[in-house]
Every structure is written in C-alpha cells, then in structure tokens.
Amino acid sequence: MTEARESAGPHALRAPGTPCWVSLMAHGLTATEEFYGALFGWEFRPGPRQFGPYVRALLDGHEVAGMGQLPPDHRLPIAWTPYLASDDVDRTAETVRLCGGTVAVGPLDADEAGRLAIAADPCGAVFGIWQGPARPGTPASGVPGTPAWNELLTFETESVTTFYASVFGYETEAAADAGADRVTLRVDGHPVAALHGLGRALPRDRGPYWATCFQVTDTDGALRRVTALGGRVVRPAQDGPHGRVATVADPEGAVFSVVQEPR
C-alpha cells in the first residue's frame, strides 16, 4: 500500500485505470457524515444531486471522498465504491459489457464534475468509472484521512485479472509467493490497486467486493474512535510490511480498512 502511494505520481493519478475517487451510499446520510467527520476530520459540502442527497468530503479544503443517501426502499449493500479513471466512460462501459461485466448506472453526466458509470465485474464486484477533470483530492501521499489503497477481494484472481486488464489496460504482476493468490495492477509501471483471491475465506453471503483502505496517524487510536462512534472492529490491528492495518465497519455496516505507516 505504501509503495503504491509513493510510486504513483501526478500522471498516474489521472491515467486510465487508476483509482481517482471513492464514494459511499448509505441510508442515514447525516449520521454517516457525523461518523466519518469525527473519525477522519472531514468537512462536507453539497455535491451532484442525480442520485438524491450527496455530499463531498473535504480535508483541509481538498475533496477526498463522496457520500450519498440511498432511497428508503433500496436494500443494496452499504459499501465504499472506488472509481477508476477513464478517458472515455462510454467506451469503457461498453468494454465492460463485452468482457462479461455489467453496467448498472449510466454512463451519465454528474453536473460539472464529469461523466460516470457504475459497473460490476463478472463475479459481481461493484466499481465506478470516472471521466472528467482530475479530482482536486489531497495531492500529498500518506495524509491521514485520505484513501490509501484499493483492493478487490474475490474468490480467485485468474478470471478477473483478465477482465480488468482487458477493460483498463493494466499491467499485472502475480505475487512471488506461489501460495498467495494475489495480483498487483500497474499503470505505467506504478502499482495502483490489487486483486486478492480468498477462496472459501470470502464470505458467501457477501460475495466479491472492492475494499478501500484509509490512512490514519494511529491505527489503535482509530479503532477506539470507531467503536466509540458506534462502529465495530472486523479484523484487529496487526503489523505488516505496509504498516499497522485493521479492518472496521461503520454503524451501517460499510467495511473499510485503516492503515498507519511503518515507524
């Protein structure tokens, strides 16, 4: 995760296939704002209204994420969704269909922000496609409160590696460990995301999904705040090559990870 953020320069952030935005659709938007505002120090301002109430999360004046409100009758899974950059969202959406994926929303214009679509890979993992001017985002890497990494958790990587490489033109690199079903996705040589095959360890009632990891100053402190704010710890903190990582869920059940850089 750390390697990816440090390696990805300004060009990589805008290149097709790179994660350029992350968004959450929840039932209680006000309560969700309160949770993430207290956890990450985000402030909020109104965003595009095509999908109903929607806000952009800001950190030190830079946009870092979006959050919207689901209609009361929608029972979709509450989850963070990464958006992958495209220079032609209509063409990318058509390629998704040709490669066995589905397009659930769009392509459509989102006010002045750009043009987008929401799609799913052949295994059902949902992701967004974004075309437009570079998101303001926080330019510095490793800033607490910003997205640090995106990783697809799926049953096995072989078939979906072919899908994502065909749609976005990724260079792919399989893990050196023969026992690990893990593939790194690269754009212009820079690691931008990963695919991780979990086999039977992937919950059958949820299916494959894209997971977002946010940078924090102190992972253990973040876990205490999560629980105090009504969330829960899914996977306790543990140290790894990219820092101290834990997985949590917000009060509505949206799962995400937090990472503290190695000291």
Side-chain angles (χ1 to χ4, degrees):
M1 289 180 288
T2 305
E3 175 191 1
R5 294 195 309 277
E6 292 175 348
S7 298
H11 171 68
L13 289 173
R14 294 188 297 269
T18 52
C20 58
W21 189 242
V22 64
S23 187
L24 172 69
M25 299 298 289
H27 291 293
L29 183 55
T30 299
T32 301
E33 289 180 46
E34 292 173 353
F35 174 85
Y36 287 98
L39 180 62
F40 293 134
W42 290 348
E43 298 176 341
F44 302 92
R45 73 180 183 192
R49 297 276 171 162
Q50 279 87 341
F51 305 122
Y54 189 87
V55 295
R56 292 171 176 151
L58 285 78
L59 186 66
D60 296 330
H62 297 284
E63 296 180 7
V64 296
M67 299 193 304
Q69 181 167 309
L70 288 168
D73 57 338
H74 281 223
R75 297 302 172 198
L76 299 173
I78 309 300
W80 281 99
T81 301
Y83 282 73
L84 307 176
S86 169
D87 53 13
D88 187 336
V89 68
D90 295 80
R91 184 178 62 198
T92 302
E94 182 59 27
T95 305
V96 165
R97 296 187 184 98
L98 291 173
C99 292
T102 58
V103 178
V105 177
L108 53 80
D109 294 321
D111 293 345
E112 79 291 346
R115 189 165 173 79
L116 63 86
I118 299 175
D121 67 28
C123 294
V126 176
F127 62 95
I129 307 166
W130 189 279
Q131 174 189 351
R135 301 300 310 165
T138 302
S141 63
V143 174
T146 62
W149 186 245
N150 291 281
E151 185 162 299
L152 173 66
L153 304 180
T154 189
F155 294 114
E156 55 81 25
T157 63
E158 184 175 358
S159 60
V160 289
T161 296
T162 300
F163 169 81
Y164 286 102
S166 298
V167 173
F168 292 104
Y170 292 122
E171 307 150 20
T172 63
E173 180 183 7
D177 182 355
D181 186 10
R182 185 181 178 91
V183 175
T184 299
L185 303 179
R186 295 177 179 268
V187 173
D188 295 337
H190 302 293
V192 296
L195 313 178
H196 191 187
L198 297 179
R200 294 183 179 180
L202 186 73
R204 293 280 172 173
D205 59 346
R206 174 162 190 173
Y209 66 97
W210 277 93
T212 297
C213 186
F214 293 92
Q215 184 76 32
V216 294
T217 303
D218 176 5
T219 296
D220 296 281
L223 297 189
R224 291 192 291 271
R225 288 195 299 276
V226 165
T227 54
L229 293 166
R232 60 185 175 88
V233 176
V234 176
R235 188 176 297 110
Q238 53 185 304
D239 295 310
H242 303 298
R244 190 161 176 78
V245 184
T247 303
V248 299
D250 69 18
E252 287 202 21
V255 175
F256 60 99
S257 294
V258 292
V259 60
Q260 169 190 342
E261 288 188 335
R263 293 178 177 176

